[in-house]
Structure formats: C-alpha cells, structure tokens
Amino acid sequence: MSTKTLDIDLLNQEMESWTAEEILHWAVETFGDRFAVQSSMQKTAGVLMHMISQIAPQTEIIFVDTGVHFRETLEVRDEFIRRFGVNIQSYEPKRSFEDQYADFGRFLHESDDSLHGAGPGYNHCCFLRKEQPYIAAVKGRFDAVAGGLMRSEGGSRANTKIITYDHRVEAYKIYPLAKWTQEDVDRYTKEHDLPVHPLYEKGYASIGCFTCTTPVLPGEDKRAGRWRHIREQNTDLAAQPIYCGINFEDRKK
C-alpha cells in the first residue's frame, strides 16, 4: 500500500483506545514485511521486542551499533536473540570510531557544536553514528517502524502521538507504548521475565553510548546522565533533556 494514504489524525484518535499489542497487530496487518521495530536494548525496547516475537517473529528489529555501545548493551541484544529468536539486524556507521577520529582529528562527542565557533561536535557525532545508519536501514525498505517513546518520559516526548510520519525515511513512525508509564514497562518486564540491561542496577536510567552516558545521581532527572559533559560546557542546556536525534519527534519543539 502507499504510505501516503493513511489518515494519521483519525488513526491517532482511534488508537488512543487500543492496547500496545493491538497497535502492533494493526501495523503487521497493514504493512506486512515493510514494517520493522527499532530497538535501543533498553526496557521499552525489550517490551516491544517481546511483543513482536509473539505477534510476528519474522519482523525485522533494527539495532544501530554505534561502535561505542557498552558491552552489556550488546549482550542484551544477543540474549534476546537466544531466548526469543527475534530477527535483530545490527547496522553500523560508515566509518569506525577510530576512523572518525582520524577524519576530524579529535573526538566529536567531547564538544558542543551549538556553541559559536565550536565546529562539529556531539550532535554531528550522533548524526554520523546513530541517525545516518538508521536512515540507511529504513529508507526504501520499510513503510513503518515502531519505537518505544512514552509520553510519561516528559520533555519533547510528553505529547508523543501514536502514529506520525518521518520525512527523513519516508515512512510512518508508530509508538505503541505512548500511553504507558515506567511502572507499566517494569510490570510487563517482570511478568515475562525479560532480559534487562544490567546497568540499570548501577544507577544508569537512560543508556546510550559509553562515551556520553553516566549514572544518574539521587534527585536528578532520568536523562541527566546523558551528555553530562555537554551540559557542563553549555549551561543553557542544563535544564532540558538532550537527545541524539535518531527519533525525529525529539527534534520537535
């Protein structure tokens, strides 16, 4: 079917009363093998991977391997494959982390490219190592991709719609867990005994690349551990969450 024919506004109204499983069933029935699931190997991704393993186990699960993930992140990926037989496909950047350093003569993730005269920095690093591989994995291959954003995460995600359109990849983005809370995620994870990233137990609340992720301190926001060094460089960013850009919705103000 054409990805231009869906009435997004009507679907968003209808899907507010659907369960996450019903949304995934609809996606599989609507898009078939042109539907995929995006995974970061965090808890919400674990829920989606398990659900799709019960609904349509052949569905491709897209994992962007940045080359600088925690070892534990890759172990969670491998554990889901071993236990549930999910079809996880890993996509890498065009250049290795070492090649990228050679290209620019420095580590891009260490500087804030939003500062005047700073040059390419962490935003460009995220583009090269996360967004670009994601776009290459989706565009022309899939008409819809499910992700794990929840409104309860706050920030730019507070108004997340269940279905939207990502012009970068010319495909729909679907968020079956948009209405969920962290308690819902934890309950589902426990009920189905899903693999859980071990760094959660060490104070990490949101987990990305090891170069830009630290534990969260008592009283801090859940995303305070992401790009902490960038916040220290630019105090204008101290009170707002920072995102990598792989999710188009995170860019909306």
Side-chain angles (χ1 to χ4, degrees):
M1 64 167 292
S2 169
T3 60
K4 306 295 185 182
T5 60
L6 297 184
D7 186 334
I8 293 180
D9 292 335
L10 179 60
L11 280 170
N12 273 305
Q13 292 178 26
E14 294 178 347
M15 289 180 175
E16 283 296 324
S17 63
W18 296 6
T19 66
E21 290 91 344
E22 288 172 337
I23 294 170
L24 285 172
H25 271 289
W26 172 87
V28 170
E29 293 169 0
T30 302
F31 300 104
D33 61 6
R34 301 279 294 181
F35 171 67
V37 173
Q38 173 189 355
S39 177
S40 63
M41 300 304 151
Q42 298 186 76
K43 287 182 180 180
T44 53
V47 170
L48 289 179
M49 289 192 292
H50 180 263
M51 285 182 176
I52 203 64
S53 75
Q54 306 302 301
I55 296 169
Q58 76 282 0
T59 300
E60 180 169 317
I61 297 171
I62 297 169
F63 172 67
V64 175
D65 185 352
T66 64
V68 280
H69 275 306
F70 289 97
R71 170 182 51 80
E72 292 89 341
T73 301
L74 304 182
E75 290 174 350
V76 171
R77 175 197 62 186
D78 296 344
E79 181 69 2
F80 265 96
I81 294 173
R82 186 185 70 80
R83 285 184 53 188
F84 302 105
V86 286
N87 179 24
I88 298 175
Q89 299 297 319
S90 298
Y91 295 89
E92 301 177 353
K94 293 180 179 179
R95 303 283 280 169
S96 71
F97 197 59
E98 293 74 22
D99 289 339
Q100 183 176 296
Y101 178 89
D103 292 341
F104 293 91
R106 57 192 174 87
F107 290 117
L108 296 184
H109 69 275
E110 293 181 342
S111 61
D112 181 2
D113 38 6
S114 69
L115 296 176
H116 180 69
Y122 82 96
N123 276 309
H124 194 55
C125 187
C126 289
F127 171 73
L128 294 174
R129 310 211 68 76
K130 297 186 78 172
E131 186 176 2
Q132 201 171 63
Y134 172 74
I135 292 173
V138 176
K139 192 171 183 178
R141 299 181 62 235
F142 298 105
D143 292 331
V145 180
L149 301 192
M150 301 187 299
R151 295 166 186 160
S152 59
E153 295 178 83
S156 67
R157 300 178 178 180
N159 298 310
T160 297
K161 295 181 179 180
I162 295 175
I163 182 168
T164 186
Y165 189 77
D166 186 344
H167 294 276
R168 299 173 306 171
V169 293
E170 299 176 355
Y172 292 104
K173 196 66 182 288
I174 302 170
Y175 294 108
L177 307 182
K179 299 178 293 179
W180 282 39
T181 65
Q182 189 59 53
E183 289 72 24
D184 294 327
V185 172
D186 290 340
R187 180 167 53 252
Y188 186 99
T189 300
K190 183 176 181 180
E191 287 177 356
H192 297 277
D193 189 28
L194 301 185
V196 174
H197 203 301
L199 291 186
Y200 285 121
E201 291 296 321
K202 297 182 179 180
Y204 292 79
S206 177
I207 304 166
C209 298
F210 67 74
T211 52
C212 303
T213 307
T214 60
V216 172
L217 303 176
E220 285 189 323
D221 179 79
K222 180 179 178 180
R223 292 192 67 87
R226 303 293 293 273
W227 298 280
R228 186 183 297 277
H229 60 293
I230 298 298
R231 298 174 192 280
E232 293 172 351
Q233 294 177 33
N234 187 348
T235 55
D236 290 340
L237 298 175
Q240 65 185 49
I242 298 176
Y243 304 100
C244 67
I246 194 171
N247 298 303
F248 180 70
E249 290 73 20
D250 286 336
R251 297 176 171 220
K252 297 178 181 179
K253 303 299 182 183

